[in-house]
Amino acid sequence: MTKPYYPYSQYLKEKFGCKVYKVTLDAGFTCPNRDGVKGKGGCTFCDQTGSSSRAQDRRDSITEQIHKNIERQRKRFGAEKFIAYFQSFTNTYSPVERLKSLYDEAMAAHPDIIGMSISTRPDCVDEEILALIASYQTPDNYICVEYGMQTIHDRTLDLLNRCETHHEFLEAFELTQKYNLDHCIHVILDLPGESWEDQMETADVLAKLKVNGVKIHLLCAMEKTPLAEQYLRGEWQPLDKENYVQLICDFMERLHPETVIHRVAGNGHHQHVVAPLWLQRKMEIMNEIDAEFDRRGTRQGDKCRFMGENSARTEETAGVF
Ligand code: SF4
């Protein structure tokens, strides 16, 4: 059945013609928002593993992690090809020589690795790093950079202890376009203090930029995080499922129809989620999103305000709202 949005699984199938899965890696990075360079304690929602690949043992080499993970994904999903996914913490936060050595190892680790996806903070890339990442792009190698943007609103980023600004995201995005790198932008819905209109503004900026991909998260409390403590003290309540379904449909209606949706539900580490627990019922949520689009008679992009425009220059976009 055709989805009312453009799912990542469809994008991969169209691109590679076979079942492709990401294999998550923990390369032992840290984050400037944890080691004191930009902040301490991390973002309020980030757990001790850097929002990440808990399944991995960071004592294993990249090659060992890739081999173990490929075996698992083959058995579980019948996956045929694999993308090495540098997921934990900030995967560009090291000298370029070390980055090169880790990325080289990942690309050479297994014959069924067809590329890399590298997750990072927008303020942790520069010309040299993106040039290195772009150097792995060939007709046979797929390379993607994933940025944790979360929201376009700086006041929310402050509340999250993010220690970066939306302007820094726009600068990283412009450089990423310069190197013609595929990209996926992470956003979080139901962030503290954000109205429906605030969240729709974030969707509109992503539509205006015509970003390649978006991974949509709902704010959730993982164990041992400041957010979980707030929840246990009764200071924060997660959104309920019905309202989330409404909100994410509203959000996707405003995105560009060609933007790939990397995720709409679930969390890779469900055993460590404190709240909301319903978030783990991934299939049920996905079915309810489909049903809601069906009830509305709409799909992704139906309320996009920027149809027909090319990917905009970021300084123009910054002044739109
Ligand atoms: S930037 Fe990422 S890794 Fe660093 S504290 Fe925030 S969520 Fe965690």
Side-chain angles (χ1 to χ4, degrees), residues 31-34 41-43 45-47 50-51 89-90 121 150 162:
C31 170
N33 198 17
R34 285 192 167 274
C43 306
F45 56 84
C46 179
D47 69 13
S51 292
F89 292 102
T90 300
R121 286 168 61 95
Q150 323 308 6
R162 186 83 194 161

Side-chain angles (χ1 to χ4, degrees), residues 97-285:
E97 299 69 37
R98 175 163 181 254
L99 296 179
K100 183 172 183 326
S101 157
L102 290 167
Y103 302 159
D104 283 350
E105 183 178 349
M107 291 303 291
H110 193 286
D112 289 330
I113 288 288
I114 49 157
M116 283 188 294
S117 201
I118 298 167
S119 176
T120 191
R121 286 168 61 95
D123 61 0
C124 286
V125 294
D126 59 20
E127 194 93 43
E128 196 182 11
I129 288 171
L130 288 179
L132 170 70
I133 294 172
S135 72
Y136 294 92
Q137 289 194 122
T138 68
D140 295 328
N141 288 341
Y142 166 78
I143 305 296
C144 179
V145 185
E146 300 196 16
Y147 290 114
M149 181 190 83
Q150 323 308 6
T151 172
I152 62 161
H153 301 290
D154 284 345
R155 64 175 190 281
T156 315
L157 294 173
D158 285 346
L159 275 175
L160 296 171
N161 190 38
R162 186 83 194 161
C163 297
E164 67 180 343
T165 63
H166 182 58
H167 182 72
E168 287 170 303
F169 165 75
L170 292 172
E171 286 180 334
F173 182 74
E174 192 162 275
L175 261 186
T176 306
Q177 284 193 306
K178 179 178 162 187
Y179 285 96
N180 199 24
L181 278 160
D182 197 8
H183 50 270
C184 170
I185 313 306
H186 291 228
V187 292
I188 303 179
L189 299 183
D190 196 39
L191 287 170
E194 292 213 340
S195 64
W196 180 89
E197 288 78 10
D198 292 334
Q199 296 174 81
M200 296 309 116
E201 280 184 11
T202 293
D204 287 342
V205 168
L206 293 169
K208 175 83 175 165
L209 294 171
K210 201 180 170 192
V211 298
N212 291 5
V214 173
K215 192 181 270 189
I216 306 170
H217 306 263
L218 171 67
L219 185 62
C220 84
M222 304 291 290
E223 60 189 18
K224 298 182 188 158
T225 60
L227 190 62
E229 286 165 22
Q230 287 172 23
Y231 173 72
L232 296 171
R233 288 197 301 266
E235 294 166 8
W236 174 78
Q237 276 299 317
L239 201 61
D240 61 47
K241 179 160 60 82
E242 291 65 34
N243 281 312
Y244 175 66
V245 169
Q246 294 297 320
L247 184 60
I248 194 169
C249 289
D250 294 344
F251 195 88
M252 286 195 282
E253 282 176 347
R254 297 174 86 107
L255 294 177
H256 195 282
E258 290 168 23
T259 292
V260 178
I261 307 296
H262 287 237
R263 178 189 281 177
V264 294
N267 176 296
H269 316 288
H270 53 90
Q271 66 276 40
H272 303 287
V273 172
V274 175
L277 295 176
W278 58 259
L279 194 57
Q280 306 320 320
R281 303 201 299 267
K282 191 173 167 181
M283 287 313 296
E284 179 184 316
I285 300 163

